[in-house]
């Protein structure tokens, strides 16, 4: 016990406690800011892990510097101090490299978890929206979801939604993405178990919508078929595209299907969902807010 008091006095004289408290407060603010950025700006979770790790290692460096330079007056660096700082620097470099390159827990390489949904299966990706109207920014994703709903009426067809692909992308990267990258679209679709993929583009304006869609074979990347529809009503446009695509998908896969050809009759999508575009827009914007953890919205 006789060594405790002198040690405590030395720590107080060198302002180790004061520096530790200031550092801890600043580190907490930085960690909270990093978490906010990760959750609201679609940044990788790895960034938060790196920040927290470096803050912890930095705390050790701050204590070393406080011990050797916290007292008043000039102090020259010692070999012991330099050795300790070198160890801290080495730990920070090695640890940062491991965090940046190690696969996150709970994620698996795409090719290891494929669940085959069968020959007549298709993944519908969110459409690229070329309409220059901020109020219509939701339309590309919204029309793709309507198309998913329409195609899902066919018992012979297994349909993977864009939301499922976003979930797989988030599982891989730990972030909420605003769009599915072109170079990952086919891999994610295969991982979801689909044999085909639908990509499309929305053109025009609010009262004159044109949708171009392509059916892509995931086995070879070739475009097997295409569909195009134009109109003033989004639900009617989706009905036309879904009718064209369903016929083409079943034609591509019918040779591998057992039994009689399945019915290709599709009910209008407005009869399945609420035929109110404003309500559907609000629903899509709510999904987008949830994806980025904006719970209040």
């Amino acid at each position: 016990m006789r060594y405790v008091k002198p040690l405590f006095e030395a720590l107080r004289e060198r302002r180790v406690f004061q520096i530790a408290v200031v550092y801890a407060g600043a580190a907490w603010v930085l960690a909270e800011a990093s978490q906010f950025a990760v959750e609201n700006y679609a940044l990788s979770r790895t960034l938060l892990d790196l920040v927290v790790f470096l803050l912890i290692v930095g705390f050790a460096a701050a204590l070393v510097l406080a011990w050797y330079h916290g007292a008043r007056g000039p102090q020259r660096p010692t070999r012991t101090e330099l050795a300790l700082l070198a160890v801290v620097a080495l730990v920070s470099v090695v640890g940062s490299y491991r965090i940046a390159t190690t696969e996150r827990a709970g994620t698996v390489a795409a090719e290891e978890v494929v669940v085959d949904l069968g020959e007549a299966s298709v993944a519908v990706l969110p459409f690229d929206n070329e309409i220059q109207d901020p109020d219509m920014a939701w339309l590309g994703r919204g029309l793709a979801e309507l198309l998913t709903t329409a195609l899902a009426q066919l018992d012979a067809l297994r349909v993977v939604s864009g939301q499922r692909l976003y979930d797989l992308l988030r599982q891989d990267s730990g972030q909420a993405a605003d769009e599915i990258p072109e170079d990952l679209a086919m891999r994610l679709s295969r991982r979801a178990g689909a044999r085909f993929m639908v990509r499309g583009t929305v053109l025009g304006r609010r009262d004159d919508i044109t949708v171009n869609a392509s059916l892509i074979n995931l086995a070879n990347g070739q475009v097997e078929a295409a569909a195009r529809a134009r109109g003033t009503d989004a639900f009617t446009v989706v009905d036309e595209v879904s009718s064209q695509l369903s016929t083409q998908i079943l034609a591509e896969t019918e040779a591998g299907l057992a039994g009689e050809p399945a019915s290709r009759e599709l009910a209008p999508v407005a009869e399945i969902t609420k035929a109110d575009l404003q309500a559907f827009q609000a629903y899509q914007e709510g999904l987008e807010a949830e994806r980025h953890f904006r719970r209040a919205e």
Side-chain angles (χ1 to χ4, degrees):
M1 295 293 293
R2 60 194 180 95
Y3 297 106
V4 173
K5 187 174 181 180
L7 176 61
F8 180 83
E9 290 296 328
L11 292 173
R12 186 175 63 82
E13 180 183 349
R14 296 167 188 257
R15 296 181 290 180
V16 173
F17 296 124
Q18 181 181 350
I19 292 174
V21 170
V22 172
Y23 182 93
W28 180 82
V29 172
L30 184 56
E32 287 293 312
S34 300
Q35 182 175 3
F36 177 83
V38 167
E39 292 181 350
N40 291 275
Y41 296 102
L43 300 178
S44 172
R45 176 79 184 186
T46 303
L47 173 64
L48 180 58
D49 294 341
L50 279 172
V51 170
V52 172
F53 171 73
L54 291 176
L55 288 175
I56 293 174
V57 175
F59 184 70
L63 293 182
V64 171
L65 293 173
W67 177 260
Y68 285 97
H69 302 281
R72 299 184 183 279
Q75 294 93 23
R76 299 183 62 181
T78 65
R79 291 184 178 180
T80 303
E81 176 193 357
L82 295 177
L84 290 173
L85 291 177
V87 171
V88 171
L90 180 62
V91 170
S92 66
V93 171
V94 174
S96 298
Y97 175 78
R98 292 292 300 274
I99 291 173
T101 57
T102 300
E103 193 172 20
R104 294 187 56 80
T107 64
V108 190
E111 304 305 326
E112 296 177 0
V113 292
V114 170
V115 178
D116 190 359
L117 297 179
E119 188 174 358
S121 55
V122 59
V124 181
L125 275 75
F127 292 166
D128 295 329
N129 189 357
E130 302 295 336
I131 298 178
Q132 303 301 316
D133 183 348
D135 292 336
M136 303 295 285
W138 62 277
L139 192 60
R141 189 170 295 168
L143 292 184
E145 183 167 328
L146 285 176
L147 179 61
T148 300
T149 301
L151 293 176
Q153 296 180 67
L154 296 174
D155 293 336
L157 191 60
R158 297 292 178 264
V159 187
V160 178
S161 69
Q163 182 59 49
R164 170 60 175 157
L165 301 181
Y166 277 116
D167 291 342
L168 291 175
L169 180 59
R170 177 188 292 181
Q171 184 184 23
D172 269 348
S173 63
Q175 61 182 333
D178 291 321
E179 60 183 21
I180 296 175
E182 183 78 25
D183 59 333
L184 295 180
M186 293 183 62
R187 195 190 78 170
L188 290 171
S189 297
R190 283 195 296 265
R191 178 178 178 181
R195 299 286 187 90
F196 294 88
M197 177 179 75
V198 173
R199 297 211 74 157
T201 304
V202 184
L203 305 167
R205 56 182 185 273
R206 179 184 294 271
D207 57 352
D208 184 13
I209 300 171
T210 298
V211 173
N212 296 313
S214 298
L215 179 66
I216 301 171
N217 190 325
L218 292 174
N220 52 31
Q222 293 183 355
V223 176
E224 301 289 352
R228 185 178 188 274
R230 179 178 179 180
T232 59
D233 179 68
F235 296 97
T236 303
V237 170
V238 169
D239 288 338
E240 177 62 27
V241 172
S242 61
S243 177
Q244 296 178 41
L245 286 179
S246 62
T247 301
Q248 294 164 347
I249 294 171
L250 292 178
E252 289 289 334
T253 61
E254 205 144 51
L257 296 175
E260 295 298 322
S263 171
R264 301 179 183 182
E265 293 297 324
L266 297 176
V269 72
E271 295 181 4
I272 304 173
T273 63
K274 184 177 180 62
D276 184 333
L277 198 60
Q278 288 185 336
F280 190 68
Q281 176 180 353
Y283 169 68
Q284 288 297 316
E285 291 173 347
L287 290 178
E288 180 69 11
E290 181 183 27
R291 185 162 30 248
H292 291 283
F293 304 101
R294 301 195 298 268
R295 303 298 183 186
E297 294 181 41

